[in-house]
Amino acid sequence: AIFIENASNITISGCHFFRLDGNAIFLSRRTRYIHIEYNHFEWLGENAIATWGDTKGYDALAGEFPMHTLIEHNVMRELGIYEKQSSAVGQCKAALTTIRNNIMFNMARAAINFNDLVGGGDIVEGNLIFNTCRESGDHGPINSWDRQPFLTNLRDGKTGSFDPLPRIIRHNFIFANYNAAQGVDNDDGSSWFHIHHNLFYMAEGRSEEHTSELQ
């Protein structure tokens, strides 16, 4: 419904995204300071919000990916009607995203999925998440894959580093019901996560694999 590419300082507020076959909002390539707030997403074929940036293989120094996105005070429900590998927020090749004070429920798979860790610095806080993974059963309401390290300058500000900023997940209320398991499921080499002060219900644990918290 809304496709934003190579743009900055845009606010999407007070909208109702209803019965769309695909994604409601898609952020592409170099976007900065996109605020998505006080919206209602329901009965969507794919993701409520998805991102995708450009890199040269592992080299992301050019910064051609979404950064400083704010997603807050939205209601997201009945998602993934057609595309089951979908989420309320599907983040691919993006950094410094804040996902705050949203309500997410009734979806085929994870509510929040981090495909990779380009730069890091994301904050997930104050969200209520329940009734996820209703049509799959191999991960949790928040899921991450970090199979590919990326070179950015977000951590050192100079020459670049493969070490990202930590991704913080805190102060969320998460029900790992239906086929979900862990409250936060860090898969496939996920690292640089700081997960603390959350309330998990029906969750087996924080992660099915070791999660590094190096600084």
Side-chain angles (χ1 to χ4, degrees):
I2 296 178
F3 181 85
I4 299 173
E5 184 172 79
N6 298 330
S8 301
N9 299 305
I10 294 173
T11 297
I12 303 168
S13 180
C15 297
H16 186 190
F17 299 91
F18 176 71
R19 291 204 178 275
L20 303 172
D21 290 345
N23 301 298
I25 299 173
F26 196 100
L27 306 184
S28 175
R29 307 180 107 171
R30 190 184 186 91
T31 67
R32 299 289 187 271
Y33 301 103
I34 308 300
H35 292 183
I36 303 169
E37 59 187 19
Y38 298 102
N39 302 289
H40 197 156
F41 302 84
E42 59 180 341
W43 295 101
L44 305 181
E46 297 185 49
N47 303 276
I49 301 165
T51 69
W52 181 255
D54 258 355
T55 65
K56 295 180 179 178
Y58 63 79
D59 185 352
L61 287 172
E64 296 296 315
F65 50 85
M67 284 197 279
H68 302 291
T69 305
L70 174 62
I71 301 168
E72 67 175 351
H73 300 298
N74 301 283
V75 177
M76 307 169 178
R77 67 183 189 92
E78 270 66 46
L79 309 178
I81 304 302
Y82 303 122
E83 173 55 58
K84 302 309 177 185
Q85 187 63 281
S86 58
S87 302
V89 180
Q91 177 161 309
C92 304
K93 291 188 178 181
L96 299 170
T97 301
T98 298
I99 305 170
R100 176 193 299 150
N101 297 339
N102 302 281
I103 300 174
M104 308 173 181
F105 63 99
N106 291 359
M107 55 198 71
R109 208 146 158 78
I112 301 172
N113 190 77
F114 293 108
N115 183 72
D116 47 67
L117 193 55
V118 175
D122 307 299
I123 298 175
V124 180
E125 63 182 0
N127 300 285
L128 171 62
I129 300 172
F130 59 97
N131 292 5
T132 64
C133 302
R134 296 194 301 172
E135 299 182 56
S136 64
D138 62 343
H139 59 68
I142 298 178
N143 184 63
S144 68
W145 305 309
D146 291 343
R147 299 170 182 141
Q148 171 67 59
F150 286 92
L151 184 66
T152 73
N153 58 14
L154 296 189
R155 189 174 181 92
D156 64 7
K158 297 178 182 177
T159 58
S161 172
F162 283 101
D163 292 342
L165 296 167
R167 179 176 283 154
I168 299 170
I169 300 176
R170 64 192 178 194
H171 305 151
N172 299 283
F173 188 7
I174 298 174
F175 292 74
N177 59 334
Y178 277 86
N179 294 316
Q182 303 79 21
V184 179
D185 186 1
N186 299 119
D187 282 328
D188 303 340
S190 295
S191 56
W192 302 97
F193 279 75
H194 290 184
I195 303 170
H196 60 89
H197 293 93
N198 298 281
L199 177 58
F200 298 146
Y201 179 70
M202 297 179 69
E204 295 175 1
R206 184 188 71 190
S207 172
E208 69 181 25
E209 299 179 10
H210 174 70
T211 301
S212 171
E213 292 192 359
L214 299 175
Q215 299 187 40

